[in-house]
């Protein structure tokens, strides 16, 4: 059985590698699944690293999440004295959230930036509560929770639920807001019957439906084309993602409803983790801690710049005129998904 599992991991690793090479136009050997060889010519390092780890990210170059991944990689190399290297594969080269979670369980992907909304599909994890709509009052509240004892408990819970993954640190991608193709949204009734693409998540699907819209779960890679063709009439993204993916070209109306501040999480594969020395684990943990602080500093500036760029591009940015009506509409969502995590929700809401 062990031989069969090993063969399956190797096959999946090879499949992920082939996809990354095809999408990135890269030739030669690449570090994946704790591989011991990597793209040395590109980096021109004097000595070969002892360990090369593969990190997947769905966003493209220049995005705050990809920049955070690069910062993490830099700290790993620095803290290990060059003995450990993290290779970053952005733009969804390793697949979407679900595909990457599966790959990590098999040990075919070492590191990935997950999201609390998609992690909710991995079981009854405490982090699912953080993806509930309108839970966080603002960014300050978000970080107060993430850096608290509760935040640490939630990260530990990811490993305790046999997900095959370990939570290392939190990242802030920005508040998620809706954007539309044909007209702006200002009030709750403006959402009625609109076809809105959301993350492939039962929680997000029910959130969109509770607002009166028609939830359309499609892959992120297909979103631009779906907006352009009219298959969907809107979607939701943080401002940086909306700008970097150029969704404003086909959906130029953006409403700041801030329905979720769902945190991102730097995740490590448990298969990879078990094969690391204690020293190597400490390097990853320290690098993740430093990356969390870097991201906390940079995200606010990235949001501000994105909004400036969007205004310059002619995007109509609106605020909701009836925020309480939007929150009131979420009652059935909280009844369905929050009942398992009332204690977590209460602790979050109580934090000042």
């Amino acid at each position: 059985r062990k031989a069969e599992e090993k063969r399956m991991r190797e096959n999946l690793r090879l499949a992920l590698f082939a996809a990354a090479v095809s999408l990135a136009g890269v030739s030669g050997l690449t570090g994946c699944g704790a591989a011991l060889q990597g793209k040395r010519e590109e980096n021109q390092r004097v000595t070969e690293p002892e360990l090369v780890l593969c990190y997947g990210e769905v966003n493209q170059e220049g995005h705050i999440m990809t920049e955070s991944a690069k910062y993490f990689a830099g700290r790993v190399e620095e803290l290990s004295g060059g003995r450990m290297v993290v290779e970053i594969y952005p733009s969804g080269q390793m697949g979407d959230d679900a595909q990457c979670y599966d790959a990590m369980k098999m040990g075919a992907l070492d590191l990935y930036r997950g999201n609390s909304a998609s992690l909710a599909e991995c079981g009854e994890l405490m982090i699912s509560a953080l993806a509930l709509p309108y839970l966080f009052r603002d960014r300050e509240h978000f970080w107060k929770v993430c850096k608290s004892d509760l935040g640490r408990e939630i990260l530990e819970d990811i490993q305790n639920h046999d997900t095959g993954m370990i939570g290392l640190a939190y990242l802030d991608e920005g508040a998620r807001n809706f954007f539309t193709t044909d007209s702006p949204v200002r009030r709750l009734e403006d959402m009625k019957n609109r076809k809105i693409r959301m993350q492939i998540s039962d929680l997000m699907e029910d959130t969109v439906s509770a607002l009166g819209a028609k939830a359309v779960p499609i892959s992120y890679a297909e979103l631009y084309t779906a907006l352009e063709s009219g298959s969907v009439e809107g979607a939701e993204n943080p401002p940086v993602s909306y700008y970097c993916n150029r969704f404003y070209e086909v959906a130029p109306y953006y409403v700041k409803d801030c329905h979720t501040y769902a945190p991102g999480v730097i995740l490590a594969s448990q298969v990879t983790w078990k094969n690391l020395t204690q020293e190597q684990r400490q390097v990853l943990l320290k690098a993740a801690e430093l990356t969390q602080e870097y991201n906390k500093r940079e995200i606010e500036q990235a949001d501000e710049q994105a909004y400036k760029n969007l205004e310059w591009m002619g995007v109509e940015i609106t605020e909701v005129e009836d925020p309480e009506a939007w929150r009131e509409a979420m009652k059935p969502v909280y009844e369905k998904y929050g009942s398992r995590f009332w204690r977590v929700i209460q602790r979050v809401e109580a934090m000042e």
Side-chain angles (χ1 to χ4, degrees):
R1 182 177 175 180
K2 288 183 178 180
E4 177 65 16
E5 289 179 350
K6 182 178 180 181
R7 184 183 64 78
M8 290 174 66
R9 285 198 299 270
E10 290 302 319
N11 287 343
L12 184 52
R13 180 183 291 114
L14 289 171
L16 283 167
F17 169 66
V21 170
S22 174
L23 286 167
V26 178
S27 61
L29 292 172
T30 303
C32 216
L36 296 180
Q37 294 184 356
K39 300 178 288 186
R40 300 286 69 78
E41 295 84 0
E42 177 183 321
N43 295 299
Q44 296 182 334
R45 297 187 178 92
V46 177
T47 58
E48 292 289 315
E50 297 172 1
L51 182 69
V52 179
L53 300 173
C54 185
Y55 185 122
E57 168 58 51
V58 296
N59 288 294
Q60 68 275 67
E61 293 283 353
H63 191 282
I64 182 63
M65 291 294 100
T66 306
E67 292 305 305
S68 296
K70 288 181 178 180
Y71 185 88
F72 174 78
R75 301 294 72 73
V76 168
E77 187 166 359
E78 182 182 88
L79 290 165
S80 69
R83 295 190 302 276
M84 296 172 65
V85 169
V86 175
E87 301 282 9
I88 309 298
Y89 290 86
S91 303
Q93 294 179 44
M94 292 299 171
D96 60 20
D97 285 355
Q99 291 168 325
C100 286
Y101 296 156
D102 286 341
M104 293 181 81
K105 291 175 188 176
M106 295 291 291
L109 180 62
D110 305 305
L111 300 155
Y112 184 67
R113 194 273 307 170
N115 177 277
S116 58
S118 56
L119 281 168
E121 302 299 303
C122 296
E124 294 189 6
L125 306 181
M126 289 171 67
I127 199 168
S128 304
L130 303 189
L132 285 165
Y134 307 111
L135 177 66
F136 295 106
R137 295 185 292 274
D138 50 32
R139 175 164 278 141
E140 183 180 357
H141 184 209
F142 167 92
W143 278 113
K144 187 157 286 187
V145 172
C146 290
K147 298 180 77 172
S148 68
D149 289 342
L150 174 60
R152 285 189 289 275
E153 289 174 35
I154 290 171
L155 285 182
E156 291 169 0
D157 183 65
I158 295 173
Q159 180 179 359
N160 295 341
H161 269 77
D162 196 29
T163 61
M165 297 175 284
I166 296 170
L168 303 183
Y170 292 104
L171 296 177
D172 178 1
E173 191 177 355
R176 301 185 76 89
N177 302 293
F178 290 104
F179 54 92
T180 50
T181 58
D182 56 354
S183 61
V185 170
R186 293 186 175 88
R187 300 184 62 81
L188 183 58
E189 54 260 34
D190 295 333
M191 291 290 287
K192 190 172 183 179
N193 293 325
R194 288 186 192 255
K195 294 179 289 183
I196 303 292
R197 181 269 173 187
M198 14 58 64
Q199 290 174 284
I200 300 175
S201 154
D202 290 342
L203 169 60
M204 289 307 301
E205 185 172 350
D206 287 342
T207 296
V208 170
S209 297
L211 293 172
K214 296 177 180 177
V216 183
I218 61 172
S219 74
Y220 197 56
E222 298 171 4
L223 179 53
Y224 188 100
T225 302
L227 289 163
E228 189 174 36
S229 68
S231 298
V232 296
E233 300 164 300
E236 46 93 52
N237 249 181
V240 176
S241 299
Y242 173 66
Y243 173 71
C244 287
N245 287 285
R246 306 173 74 94
F247 292 135
Y248 58 85
E249 294 178 341
V250 288
Y253 303 99
Y254 193 82
V255 57
K256 296 166 73 173
D257 74 295
C258 302
H259 51 274
T260 57
Y261 261 104
V265 183
I266 299 177
L267 298 164
S269 163
Q270 273 195 309
V271 174
T272 298
W273 195 257
K274 288 176 182 177
N275 290 322
L276 298 178
T277 66
Q278 190 60 34
E279 181 184 2
Q280 289 169 335
R281 292 177 183 177
Q282 289 305 311
V283 166
L284 292 183
L285 288 168
K286 183 61 178 179
E289 178 187 336
L290 292 171
T291 302
Q292 178 173 291
E293 291 306 309
Y294 164 84
N295 170 260
K296 184 175 181 291
R297 292 193 306 269
E298 296 295 318
I299 182 60
E300 203 159 341
Q301 182 179 341
D303 274 358
E304 289 175 4
Q305 189 59 52
Y307 279 122
K308 286 179 182 177
N309 293 343
L310 291 169
E311 287 175 2
W312 187 80
M313 290 292 180
V315 173
E316 185 173 341
I317 301 171
T318 57
E319 305 267 357
V320 294
E321 297 175 357
D322 52 347
E324 286 307 315
W326 293 63
R327 292 188 178 89
E328 187 70 18
M330 293 301 107
K331 280 188 175 180
V333 176
Y334 272 74
E335 288 170 2
K336 181 175 180 179
Y337 295 96
S339 58
R340 294 167 289 179
F341 305 107
W342 280 124
R343 186 167 175 272
V344 174
I345 294 168
Q346 289 170 348
R347 290 173 70 183
V348 168
E349 291 178 338
M351 287 194 193
E352 298 292 338

